[in-house]
């Protein structure tokens, strides 16, 4: 299941993904404080969701983005998580991140697709971040890309269901586009200041993935990337081949 939610705002920070993370945390707190504590205060395991953000009529202005509105698409196979986010968003209409004000407009449930096959063409709704053991970005045309994607997928699935990949993934990139993402977080800002940023080299990818249908379905719902919970690696099904 996926949630689509639109917010009215006139500006957001250039590192806007953390704005969305803050909104989701506030929604979870408003819905069920104990569930929020369980999810965010007990250990550092990744959370069962991925999201992408779409900006309407936007333009960059120094370290901010001016725009008319933004839309979030949130995906998860965990119905308890989605229900709590949905209820929390319903309870609160206004959200404040630092000095940025966002007003919730409309919200809806979007039916997700069923993979139902062993070979699927995916496209990214938010860029995929893949890095090697030294933290260096790995491009889709790198010979080691498939190995690193398999490592990520195995970890994501193991943390969600306690079992990793049923079968290794075969990856065939069809086309891709590089983008550099500017981000930050509280810990980084405390250490280096509010005008300091982390830079991630990520890719929008259109690729064919062959694997076990159950693995592919969960990766479609959970996302496939490092930093999924910060808006990287959300997938959309373009075609099911096998």
């Amino acid at each position: 299941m996926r949630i689509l939610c639109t917010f009215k705002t006139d500006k957001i920070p250039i590192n806007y993904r953390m704005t969305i993370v803050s909104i989701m945390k506030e929604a979870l707190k408003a819905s069920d404080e104990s569930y929020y504590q369980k999810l965010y205060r007990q250990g550092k395991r990744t959370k069962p969701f991925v999201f992408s953000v779409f900006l309407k009529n936007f333009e960059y202005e120094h370290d901010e983005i001016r725009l008319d509105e933004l839309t979030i698409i949130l995906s998860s196979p965990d119905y308890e998580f989605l229900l709590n986010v949905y209820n929390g968003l319903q309870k609160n209409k206004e959200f404040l991140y630092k000095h940025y004000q966002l007003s919730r407009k409309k919200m809806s449930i979007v039916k997700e697709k069923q993979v139902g096959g062993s070979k699927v063409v995916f496209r990214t709704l938010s860029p995929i971040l893949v890095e090697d053991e030294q933290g260096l970005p790995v491009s889709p045309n790198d010979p080691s890309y498939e190995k690193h994607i398999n490592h990520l997928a195995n970890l994501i699935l193991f943390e969600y269901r306690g079992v990793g990949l049923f079968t290794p993934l075969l990856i065939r990139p069809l086309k891709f586009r590089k983008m550099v993402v500017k981000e930050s977080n509280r810990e980084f800002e405390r250490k280096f200041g509010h005008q300091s940023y982390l830079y991630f080299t990520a890719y929008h990818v259109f690729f064919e993935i062959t694997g076990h249908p159950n693995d592919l379905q969960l990766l479609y719902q959970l996302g496939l990337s490092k930093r999924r919970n910060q808006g990287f690696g959300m997938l959309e099904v373009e075609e099911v081949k096998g």
Side-chain angles (χ1 to χ4, degrees), residues 186-200:
R186 287 182 181 175
E187 183 178 341
F188 190 81
E189 287 180 354
R190 279 197 299 266
K191 189 172 182 180
F192 298 104
H194 290 288
Q195 298 303 315
S196 299
Y197 297 99
L198 295 160
Y199 293 88
F200 300 108

Side-chain angles (χ1 to χ4, degrees), residues 63-115:
D63 288 327
E64 294 181 320
I65 301 173
R66 293 203 168 270
L67 72 166
D68 291 340
E69 63 182 31
L70 65 83
T71 298
I72 306 167
I73 302 178
L74 175 67
S75 173
S76 175
D78 188 325
Y79 285 96
E80 182 182 13
F81 171 81
L82 288 173
L83 182 62
N84 277 303
V85 172
Y86 189 88
N87 288 342
L89 289 172
Q90 287 277 37
K91 286 183 178 181
N92 292 339
K93 187 174 182 181
E94 303 294 327
F95 292 87
L96 184 68
Y97 176 74
K98 297 182 179 179
H99 60 278
Y100 299 98
Q101 186 79 31
L102 295 94
S103 301
R104 176 182 55 76
K105 291 179 63 181
K106 56 185 178 181
M107 186 165 53
S108 60
I109 301 297
V110 180
K111 187 176 180 181
E112 65 189 18
K113 296 177 181 177
Q114 295 301 309
V115 169

Side-chain angles (χ1 to χ4, degrees), residues 102-142:
L102 295 94
S103 301
R104 176 182 55 76
K105 291 179 63 181
K106 56 185 178 181
M107 186 165 53
S108 60
I109 301 297
V110 180
K111 187 176 180 181
E112 65 189 18
K113 296 177 181 177
Q114 295 301 309
V115 169
S118 59
K119 185 180 292 187
V120 182
V121 176
F122 290 107
R123 66 179 172 93
T124 55
L125 295 181
S126 53
I128 287 183
L129 176 64
V130 181
E131 296 176 336
D132 64 15
E133 295 80 1
Q134 287 73 46
L136 298 174
V138 180
S139 165
N141 62 1
D142 189 297

Side-chain angles (χ1 to χ4, degrees), residues 145-155 165 167-169 171:
Y145 189 72
E146 183 174 88
K147 179 188 80 170
H148 291 294
I149 285 284
N150 270 274
H151 173 75
L152 279 171
N154 194 64
L155 181 63
L165 286 166
T167 59
L169 302 177
I171 310 294

